[in-house]
Amino acid sequence: MINGTKALDRSLRWGMVGGGGTSQIGYIHRSAALRDGNFVLQAGAFDIDAVRGRAFGTTLGVAEDRCYADYETMFAAEAARADGIEAVSIATPNNTHFAICRAALNAGLHVVCEKPLCFSAAEADELERLCAEKKKIIGVTYGYAGHQLIHQAREMIAEGLLGEIRIINMQFAHGFHNEAVELQNASTKWRVDPRFVGPSYVLGDLATHPLFIAETMVPKLKVKRLLCSRQSFVKSRAPLEDNAFVMMEYDNGAVGTMWASAVNCGSMHGQKVRVIGEKASLEWWDEQPNQLRYEVQGQPVQILERGMGYLHSRALEEDRIGGGHPEGLFEAWSNLYRRFALAMDATDRDDQTFLRDFWYPDVHAGLMGVRWVEQCVQSADAGAVWVDC
Ligand code: NAD
C-alpha cells in the first residue's frame, strides 16, 4: 500500500521540457511526479514561447532563473550547478522527443518521455544504446499501465488461470475527432501533421497504449507478423489515418486485433484489452479502471474490484485507499512515476538484482511501440499486406 512515504530516502531533482500552462498533459506529469515526494521540481523549459514558459514556471514555484528559454540552455546551465537537476520529463509534441531525449542523456540525466518515444525504430534503437552507454533510464509514460488491475491480469495469466492464450482483442477508439477539429484546436493540429507527429496519427497516438497494456498482461507473447489497413475519414488528414485496423499473429499461434480510431462517434475513450485463453477471458476498460472482468467458460462473470484482499499481492502494492473508493488515471500515473524514481535510483547504484525483476515502461517498451507503428504503416501503405515483425 502506498501512503505517501517516499520510495527513496531523498527526492530526485527534476525538470520539465514542455507541459506548459496550455498543454494537455503537463499537469498530470507534475501531479504524478510530485505526489509521493519522489521528485522535486527545480527547473523547466516549459513552453515553446520562452516568456510564457517563464511566467508559468514561476507560478509553479520554480525560481525565475531556472525557468529557461529552451532545453539546450537548461541542460547546460543545470549541469554546471552542484544542485542541478538529475532527471527530466519531456512533454512536447512528438517531433521533438528524439532530439530532447538524446540531449538529456548526453547531459547525464535520467529521462521520462511521452509516447510515442520517437518517429522511427532506428531512432529508438539509438536511444536504447545511449541509455546503456550513459547508464541512465528512459521511462515512457504509458500512463494507463499504472492501473493496478492490469497487474492483477498479468499475474492471473502467468498463473495459467486462462490456459494457453488464443486471442487478444485491443482497441482505443474515441469519437472526439470525427470532424476537422484541428482547424480550431492547437493540440489536435500538430497531431494530424506528419512534420510534428511522424508517420501515423491514431496508431502512434492511441494504439500504442492498449498495445503496451497487452504486452504488460502477456509479456511472453511476441507479435510474429501483422497486417494493417488505415483510413483518413477526414480527407484533409491524409496520408495520416484517423482510423486503423490491425490483425496480428503471435509466436505461440495466438492472434490479435487492434482498432484505433478518433472517429468512433459517441465514444469517450473506448480503450479496452480483452485476453482470451482456452479456459477463460479477462477484460479491462480504461473507463472502468477499478474493475476487471474474469469470465470462466460455463460460469457466471466475476468482477474483480481494485484494492480487495483477494487480489494478487502485486496488484495491491500500489493501492492507495482500499477497495470501493475509485482510483483513477492520476493515481496510475503516480504509480509509474514512483517506479521511475526507483528505477533511476537503482540504475545509479548499479543494482542489477533489483532491476532484473522490476517492471516499468522502459526505453525498450518505447522502442517496441515505435517499431510496431512503423510496421503497421509499412503494411497499410503497401495495400494492407502481411509484414513480418
Ligand atoms: P500540447 O500541444 O497540448 O502541449 C505541448 C506543450 O509543449 C506546450 O506547452 C508547448 O508550448 C510545449 N512545447 C512545444 N515545443 C516545445 C519545445 N521545443 N520546448 C519546450 N516546450 C515545448 O500537447 P500535449 O497534448 O500535451 O502532448 C504532448 C505530448 O504528450 C505528445 O507527445 C503526446 O503524444 C503526449 N500525450 C500523452 C498522453 C498519455 O496518455 N501518455 C496523453 C496526451 C498526450
Side-chain angles (χ1 to χ4, degrees):
M1 185 148 189
I2 294 175
N3 60 8
T5 311
K6 283 188 209 174
L8 310 175
D9 57 5
R10 66 203 183 92
S11 304
L12 297 170
R13 298 184 300 278
W14 175 62
M16 284 192 82
V17 183
T22 58
S23 77
Q24 184 187 21
I25 208 69
Y27 174 54
I28 196 167
H29 277 272
R30 287 184 289 279
S31 172
L34 304 177
R35 168 79 68 93
D36 301 310
N38 297 312
F39 294 88
V40 56
L41 183 60
Q42 303 268 314
F46 295 102
D47 203 297
I48 189 76
D49 178 321
V51 174
R52 207 168 53 183
R54 176 160 291 131
F56 178 65
T58 55
T59 67
L60 297 174
V62 177
E64 201 174 341
D65 65 334
R66 294 178 83 177
C67 293
Y68 299 95
D70 56 69
Y71 70 87
E72 286 110 329
T73 312
M74 173 161 87
F75 295 163
E78 290 291 314
R81 296 176 67 113
D83 63 350
I85 56 170
E86 301 159 88
V88 67
S89 291
I90 300 168
T92 52
N94 305 358
N95 62 312
T96 61
H97 293 176
F98 174 65
I100 305 176
C101 279
R102 191 172 53 180
L105 292 169
N106 279 324
L109 299 174
H110 289 295
V111 179
V112 174
C113 185
E114 267 304 342
K115 43 53 61 179
L117 179 58
C118 47
F119 279 4
S120 70
E123 289 175 345
D125 272 331
E126 187 177 334
L127 293 177
E128 191 173 40
R129 267 199 313 276
L130 201 53
C131 282
E133 182 190 319
K134 300 290 177 186
K135 298 193 180 345
K136 297 291 164 192
I137 73 153
I138 297 180
V140 181
T141 39
Y142 288 123
Y144 305 99
H147 280 295
Q148 294 145 46
L149 289 176
I150 288 166
H151 299 274
Q152 173 67 18
R154 178 184 172 98
E155 296 303 330
M156 291 172 72
I157 293 165
E159 280 171 20
L161 291 180
L162 275 59
E164 188 72 19
I165 303 306
R166 292 175 168 169
I167 302 168
I168 306 181
N169 183 214
M170 294 159 271
Q171 64 176 64
F172 195 156
H174 69 67
F176 287 98
H177 301 162
N178 68 319
E179 47 191 45
V181 294
E182 54 269 28
L183 299 177
Q184 272 83 44
N185 183 320
S187 276
T188 312
K189 192 171 181 196
W190 66 256
R191 283 178 158 81
V192 294
D193 182 337
R195 289 172 302 167
F196 294 91
V197 79
S200 86
Y201 168 31
V202 294
L203 289 161
D205 200 45
L206 303 177
T208 49
H209 281 295
L211 183 78
F212 182 66
I213 291 171
E215 283 172 8
T216 302
M217 287 181 175
V218 203
K220 280 194 182 144
L221 291 199
K222 303 290 170 239
V223 181
K224 205 174 64 177
R225 58 179 200 148
L226 61 75
L227 179 153
C228 174
S229 162
R230 61 175 184 162
Q231 299 75 38
S232 315
F233 282 109
V234 174
K235 296 293 173 221
S236 52
R237 292 174 182 159
L240 297 187
E241 77 291 346
D242 48 25
N243 188 81
F245 296 105
V246 186
M247 290 201 295
M248 284 164 272
E249 290 178 358
Y250 293 90
D251 55 359
N252 75 331
V255 291
T257 60
M258 172 76 75
W259 176 30
S261 186
V263 296
N264 179 20
C265 289
S267 165
M268 293 300 288
H269 251 196
Q271 184 178 194
K272 179 189 88 167
V273 175
R274 180 174 176 84
V275 182
I276 302 166
E278 57 191 351
K279 296 190 278 196
S281 305
L282 285 169
E283 184 168 310
W284 182 85
W285 286 81
D286 93 50
E287 290 167 46
Q288 290 101 39
N290 292 274
Q291 284 83 32
L292 177 68
R293 285 176 74 91
Y294 177 37
E295 301 170 11
V296 181
Q297 179 55 34
Q299 294 181 22
V301 174
Q302 293 181 55
I303 308 290
L304 306 184
E305 294 280 349
R306 192 204 56 75
M308 296 299 289
Y310 50 72
L311 299 177
H312 194 278
S313 58
R314 285 245 161 101
L316 289 168
E317 269 170 30
E318 287 162 341
D319 172 31
R320 291 165 184 269
I321 192 163
H325 306 280
E327 291 190 10
L329 192 59
F330 277 68
E331 285 74 29
W333 275 64
S334 303
N335 297 340
L336 285 193
Y337 260 95
R338 186 172 175 280
R339 285 176 175 272
F340 294 151
L342 285 164
M344 290 172 187
D345 178 63
T347 303
D348 287 344
R349 292 184 290 100
D350 196 23
D351 187 344
Q352 295 304 327
T353 313
F354 175 87
L355 289 167
R356 198 168 307 122
D357 289 332
F358 187 66
W359 175 91
Y360 70 100
D362 60 6
V363 65
H364 193 69
L367 163 64
M368 296 298 279
V370 170
R371 181 178 290 152
W372 181 86
V373 170
E374 208 169 62
Q375 289 160 341
C376 287
V377 170
Q378 189 191 339
S379 165
D381 292 359
V385 297
W386 285 100
V387 167
D388 289 333
C389 298

